[in-house]
Amino acid sequence: MRVLFTVPPLAGHVNPTVAVGAELAARGHEVAWTGPAAALARLLPAQARILPAGEDVGGGYSALHERWRDLRGVGALRFLWEEALVPLARAMVPGVTRAVRAFGPDVLVADQQALAGPLVARRLGVPWATSASTSAELTRPFADFPKVGEWVAGQITGLLAEYGAARDPGGWDPRFSERLVLVFSTPELVGSAGDFPPHHAFVGPAFGARPPSPGFPWQRLDPARRRVLVSLGTLNQEAGARFYGAVLGAAERLAEEVQFVLAAPAALIGATPDHVLLQESVPQLELLPHLDAVVCHAGHNTVCEALAHGLPLVVAPIRDDQPIVARQVVEAGAGIRVRFGRTRAEELRDALTAVLDEPGPRRAARRIQASFAAAGGAAAAADRLEKLS
């Protein structure tokens, strides 16, 4: 079987496909990726086969976050569709078409932000599956905001019309394959699976190999303190200056009990006390087994990685799918939400104390951890793709 992954140039969307691709390759299948090649080369293993698509906007797509990082709510959503998703789809369609014709995939797996994949697969008659690297789109995110939902539907309809792929009377949507949607989560986090059709496969997180991280000072982890990671992900750090101030204030108040591992630009933080371990980046998957809790922006990958290690969370969502993921964490009982833009040191201290000291969040995190393990991850995703072909 040949499987072609169509992805945007963003780590959180590429990472699950790395794990699934490795599992497929181990079973003897051929795999390749298509998208902006220069960006994908930094995110994929060295031996990965990359077929270029949308290279002319790849770097600009990543650089858009300079304008996007301070947006919130509907403004951020409009920017995402008008400046990122639709232009990327237009730019990628020619390259994805060439990739499909050159590679001859039996199955195309399209990330929900790589809309060119379904457009080309449907035109060329290739079976395709959705890679839902975040569960937000599956939870009717605009149910309470119908005008926003109508606007998003209009963006999709306009894009389909450009390529002669106007919606059928039944209403096809390039974000959702009608045959297989790989959901890298479980109902224990997302909510009841009863609301989803059977072709939505809850396979749990799929963790693949990551690019090597710079040396981490493991010897500085303090065995006498509980340890907490604070991370806003790779795209949100510059927006976190005020939040980092609250983090340092909470760290001061918890100095005798907790060591903070803070993943942030040193230029935004300045001098830190000895019990705060500041690093520009951290080897997150390797670090998580040494931690007691995680403070983050409610990015889907970070949340799932923490819960896969049974760690409770304090979540401070910023934009996009993050408020939805934060709500899932809170409703599952696995963490506490704080305000990203207005959190005070005392509020953050109290939230951290609660997830560290109260048994409920840790029990919920471990329940989700067990569901992730049972779901099967990359192996379960590969099983479903083999059946699809």
Side-chain angles (χ1 to χ4, degrees):
M1 182 174 71
R2 291 186 170 191
V3 179
L4 179 65
F5 294 98
T6 308
V7 291
L10 296 171
H13 296 257
V14 172
N15 286 342
T17 71
V18 173
V20 178
E23 176 67 24
L24 289 167
R27 300 182 184 193
H29 304 303
E30 293 184 56
V31 297
W33 283 261
T34 184
L40 295 190
R42 296 190 292 270
L43 302 172
L44 291 167
Q47 72 277 12
R49 181 174 179 181
I50 301 173
L51 304 171
E55 189 66 18
D56 52 331
V57 299
Y61 189 77
S62 298
L64 285 174
H65 98 276
E66 293 290 336
R67 294 158 54 200
W68 159 84
R69 68 186 184 195
D70 295 322
L71 297 175
R72 302 288 186 273
V74 174
L77 180 73
R78 291 183 64 91
F79 187 89
L80 176 68
W81 279 95
E82 293 178 340
E83 302 293 331
L85 300 189
V86 171
L88 183 69
R90 293 183 183 124
M92 284 181 60
V93 161
V96 173
T97 302
R98 290 190 297 269
V100 168
R101 287 175 172 158
F103 186 64
D106 300 291
V107 176
L108 184 147
V109 181
D111 182 89
Q112 287 186 307
Q113 289 196 4
L115 302 175
L119 283 170
V120 174
R122 197 171 172 94
R123 179 196 297 166
L124 299 182
V126 177
W128 65 281
T130 295
S131 172
S133 53
T134 173
S135 58
E137 290 280 8
L138 311 177
T139 60
R140 300 179 65 237
F142 309 121
D144 297 329
F145 307 97
K147 293 295 184 183
V148 177
E150 291 172 9
W151 182 84
V152 170
Q155 294 295 302
I156 295 170
T157 298
L159 178 66
L160 297 181
E162 285 184 42
Y163 292 93
R167 293 191 177 196
D168 299 333
W172 87 284
D173 189 324
R175 297 170 298 174
F176 307 102
S177 167
E178 297 160 339
R179 298 184 61 182
L180 176 61
V181 177
L182 295 173
V183 186
F184 293 102
S185 186
T186 60
E188 285 74 12
L189 178 58
V190 175
S192 173
D195 298 331
F196 299 98
H199 71 283
H200 283 57
F202 287 82
V203 300
F207 303 135
R210 305 284 171 84
S213 298
F216 182 80
W218 296 99
Q219 74 283 357
R220 288 190 57 194
L221 292 179
D222 187 350
R225 290 182 171 95
R226 290 178 291 183
R227 294 178 289 272
V228 172
L229 171 66
V230 180
S231 172
L232 298 181
T234 54
L235 295 180
N236 300 292
Q237 291 179 333
E238 294 86 350
R242 190 184 186 285
F243 186 77
Y244 292 139
V247 169
L248 293 175
E252 181 181 358
R253 289 160 175 77
L254 295 170
E256 294 184 4
E257 308 167 44
V258 179
Q259 180 183 33
F260 282 62
V261 180
L262 178 54
L268 284 180
I269 304 300
T272 57
D274 290 341
H275 64 281
V276 175
L277 176 51
L278 175 63
Q279 295 284 292
E280 294 274 347
S281 62
V282 298
Q284 189 159 290
L285 284 178
E286 294 89 344
L287 181 61
L288 287 169
H290 304 274
L291 302 176
D292 297 280
V294 172
V295 178
C296 71
H297 59 306
H300 191 264
N301 277 322
T302 299
V303 164
C304 286
E305 288 173 8
L307 293 173
H309 289 82
L311 299 177
L313 294 134
V314 174
V315 286
I318 306 172
R319 64 173 73 78
D320 299 334
D321 66 326
Q322 296 158 16
I324 297 171
V325 175
R327 185 180 69 236
Q328 292 174 359
V329 170
V330 173
E331 291 180 351
I336 293 175
R337 177 174 177 168
V338 297
R339 303 164 297 178
F340 176 76
R342 292 179 289 171
T343 300
R344 295 175 291 107
E346 293 80 6
E347 181 185 3
L348 188 55
R349 175 204 59 195
D350 292 346
L352 260 176
T353 299
V355 300
L356 287 169
D357 292 345
E358 296 177 9
R362 187 166 297 278
R363 277 201 303 265
R366 288 175 175 167
R367 184 182 71 250
I368 297 170
Q369 178 187 30
S371 78
F372 284 178
D383 290 343
R384 294 299 295 258
L385 288 171
E386 287 178 330
K387 292 175 182 177
L388 184 63
S389 68

